[in-house]
Amino acid sequence: MAILIKNGRIVNPATNMDMRGDILIENNRIKQVLPYIEAEAEQIIEAYGCIVMPGFIDLHVHLREPGFEYKETIETGTRAAARGGFTTICAMPNTNPVIDTPGQVQFVLEKAKEAGNVHVIPVGAVTNGQQGEQIADIAGMKRQGAGAISEDGKSVMNTYLYREAMKEAAREDMPVFAHCEDKSLAGNGCINQGKKSQEYQVQGISNGVEDVIVARDILLAKETGARLHLCHCSTKDSVTFTKLAKEAGIKVTAEVCPHHFVLSEDDIVNGDSNYKMNPPLRSKEDVETLKLGLKSGVIDAISTDHAPHHEDEKKQHISTAPFGIVGLETAAALTYTELVCKGWLTPMQMAEKMSYNPAKILKLDKGDISEGKIADITIINPAWEYTIDANEFASKGKNTPFHGRKVKGQVVYTIVDGKIVYDKLKETKEI
Ligand code: DOR
Ligand code: ZN
Ligand code: ZN
């Protein structure tokens, strides 16, 4: 099976290529990348006016299976990923049971294969059952195909135990994905500590809740040599500390989620719990610093923290509703609209943050659309404007504060292993 992509703007950070041209895919690999290709192909994709990028890689997704299939399944979550232009996603372990054994890792991989949408890389828990008491079988999970370890949803508060886990991660050359939240400082906070928490008379979450653990984890990375990856950075000091750590030669990388660079606490309306996530929406000053961090390269990646919840759960009062919003099907357009159109990032930098750098963090031979590479490709139409409609999501989760928002930059094709797993034009015809 051959696919020929014609006349696209090919943006490939791995080779610093930004060129109008064609890409020929044969079977699962990229056969040729040239300004003009004449070849027989079963399918021709006319990509004039479109940007052709390495397939997006999301380091941070909650697929909810096993245990919370009413929120999302591996099938619906990976379909949502394909719709969002993601060709590889990392599945966080806070399921029921927790992904903390090689057998659980195997379960996720098998389900993902069955679904056949996008690549899934399971992330193993740091401690058994995410209980923070015994270190999980990190080496065993790695052997089974886990790409990282994480206690996402919380931090391992026992610093001694976390240091031991980081030593093991360093031996196994596995990155540690850190959700930074000091539990004792967080209390029952539900949104940022500031004007909105005062207005709603609810407990706030201060920047310090995140910053204290960011600093601790950086120091532990320094001591253990582990590769630390800071999840969903939301505060200005997270950016400052990451910058200092990088300058000091500590192995640290960092991600930011679209909701944290698009929205601030000021945008929360009517106490709507679709604006509630952990970490919370912060001040305008924090948002500005996150964008500067992305622009300057201090922040390596854009990830979604896709966190689907049931409508009934999210209907609760903001103080009790669960944390989290869906993100797979809005990330590309929000990034294009808010960062590329507004001059914070070039299309090349967008491809870096959404594909090339995540691949490097995972040490994957992906995020590169050079000749000979596996054909994981995302094509977006930057001129296509539309209104986000949660009812169109493939995800079971409709919990997004972006419903009704106008954006630019539509994912039109997602190609995984040389197969088209999402075709916007077909979907439009089907509706
Ligand atoms: O908003 C969040 N949702 N933050 C987390 O840390 C966990 C996640 C979830 O699992 O729902
Ligand atoms: Zn988290
Ligand atoms: Zn998360």
Side-chain angles (χ1 to χ4, degrees):
M1 167 80 181
I3 302 172
L4 182 58
I5 304 169
K6 296 288 294 175
N7 303 311
R9 176 176 174 188
I10 303 167
V11 172
N12 190 24
T15 54
N16 202 25
M17 173 187 278
D18 188 344
M19 164 188 100
R20 170 73 48 83
D22 302 349
I23 294 182
L24 179 65
I25 301 167
E26 260 184 32
N27 301 316
N28 62 340
R29 287 193 185 267
I30 295 169
K31 181 86 186 292
Q32 276 185 321
V33 183
L34 288 168
Y36 180 81
I37 299 173
E38 192 148 352
E40 293 281 312
E42 279 79 13
Q43 181 154 9
I44 293 177
I45 293 174
E46 179 50 62
Y48 182 78
C50 293
I51 308 178
V52 182
M53 298 187 187
F56 301 148
I57 300 172
D58 192 343
L59 296 172
H60 197 140
V61 175
H62 296 273
L63 288 177
R64 305 297 191 207
E65 190 177 356
F68 304 102
E69 290 83 355
Y70 69 96
K71 296 179 198 253
E72 191 82 289
T73 64
I74 291 172
E75 200 282 322
T76 57
T78 53
R79 206 143 35 83
R83 276 192 96 240
F86 292 95
T87 53
T88 298
I89 58 176
C90 291
M92 284 299 183
N94 61 337
T95 50
N96 185 17
V98 165
I99 310 302
D100 59 3
T101 62
Q104 290 301 333
V105 169
Q106 182 62 16
F107 170 83
V108 174
L109 287 172
E110 271 166 20
K111 282 276 175 178
K113 200 171 168 196
E114 222 173 89
N117 294 315
V118 305
H119 300 287
V120 174
I121 298 179
V123 176
V126 178
T127 69
N128 289 332
Q130 293 191 302
Q131 292 301 305
E133 283 158 15
Q134 289 147 351
I135 297 172
D137 179 6
I138 294 170
M141 291 193 288
K142 158 116 187 197
R143 247 178 282 122
Q144 204 63 47
I149 54 165
S150 180
E151 203 83 330
D152 190 50
K154 52 181 147 182
S155 291
V156 177
M157 287 310 299
N158 181 328
T159 306
Y160 170 79
L161 201 69
Y162 204 39
R163 188 178 65 175
E164 291 304 301
M166 281 175 109
K167 282 184 196 164
E168 175 72 351
R171 280 192 290 272
E172 293 296 327
D173 192 25
M174 256 178 142
V176 179
F177 289 2
H179 167 117
C180 298
E181 178 187 9
D182 186 302
K183 204 174 164 202
S184 64
L185 293 181
N188 290 321
C190 63
I191 55 175
N192 188 46
Q193 190 170 86
K195 20 184 176 174
K196 278 284 149 114
S197 66
Q198 271 164 19
E199 185 189 327
Y200 294 145
Q201 302 205 326
V202 293
Q203 268 192 46
I205 302 169
S206 71
N207 283 23
V209 169
E210 176 170 327
D211 299 338
V212 162
I213 301 293
V214 166
R216 180 198 74 165
D217 288 3
I218 286 171
L219 293 171
L220 290 178
K222 179 182 176 186
E223 195 171 319
T224 60
R227 289 195 281 134
L228 175 69
H229 176 71
L230 300 168
C231 295
H232 43 49
C233 292
S234 74
T235 66
K236 62 179 193 315
D237 282 339
S238 285
V239 181
T240 308
F241 294 165
T242 304
K243 182 170 185 280
L244 288 173
K246 285 184 169 186
E247 282 165 4
I250 301 166
K251 285 181 233 161
V252 57
T253 54
E255 69 185 30
V256 168
C257 306
H259 45 271
H260 288 129
F261 64 70
V262 175
L263 302 173
S264 74
E265 60 179 347
D266 301 2
D267 295 305
I268 304 174
V269 282
N270 302 325
D272 181 353
S273 72
N274 283 325
Y275 291 86
K276 178 180 179 180
M277 70 292 288
N278 192 13
L281 299 174
R282 299 289 191 184
S283 71
K284 284 214 168 102
E285 195 187 343
D286 291 301
V287 174
E288 201 69 8
T289 312
L290 295 177
K291 290 195 280 196
L292 286 169
L294 281 160
K295 189 181 171 77
S296 68
V298 171
I299 305 292
D300 305 87
I302 293 170
S303 70
T304 66
D305 198 4
H306 178 81
H309 290 293
H310 194 274
E311 202 187 328
D312 294 341
E313 296 169 311
K314 277 301 210 180
K315 263 193 211 142
Q316 295 172 60
H317 188 262
I318 199 159
S319 59
T320 51
F323 288 103
I325 64 165
V326 289
L328 285 168
E329 293 166 89
T330 51
L334 288 171
T335 301
Y336 191 78
T337 308
E338 298 297 326
L339 298 182
V340 180
C341 291
K342 294 185 178 170
W344 292 93
L345 298 182
T346 61
M348 182 72 77
Q349 285 174 307
M350 174 176 171
E352 244 171 58
K353 312 278 178 202
M354 296 192 72
S355 181
Y356 180 68
N357 289 345
K360 281 207 293 196
I361 289 164
L362 293 164
K363 295 203 175 170
L364 288 179
D365 187 18
K366 290 187 181 290
D368 179 1
I369 45 174
S370 306
E371 287 177 9
K373 297 290 177 186
I374 292 283
D376 286 357
I377 299 174
T378 298
I379 305 177
I380 69 168
N381 182 341
W384 187 327
E385 280 185 75
Y386 67 101
T387 303
I388 292 173
D389 181 356
N391 301 309
E392 289 177 1
F393 290 170
S395 171
K396 284 192 186 181
K398 314 295 174 197
N399 47 314
T400 175
F402 297 115
H403 177 73
R405 193 183 181 96
K406 278 210 173 77
V407 287
K408 219 173 154 181
Q410 171 74 59
V411 173
V412 282
Y413 289 97
T414 308
I415 300 172
V416 174
D417 284 337
K419 282 196 289 290
I420 298 171
V421 294
Y422 179 65
D423 177 341
K424 178 67 189 171
L425 303 176
K426 253 192 196 158
E427 180 185 85
T428 313
K429 272 180 224 142
E430 277 162 16
I431 287 169

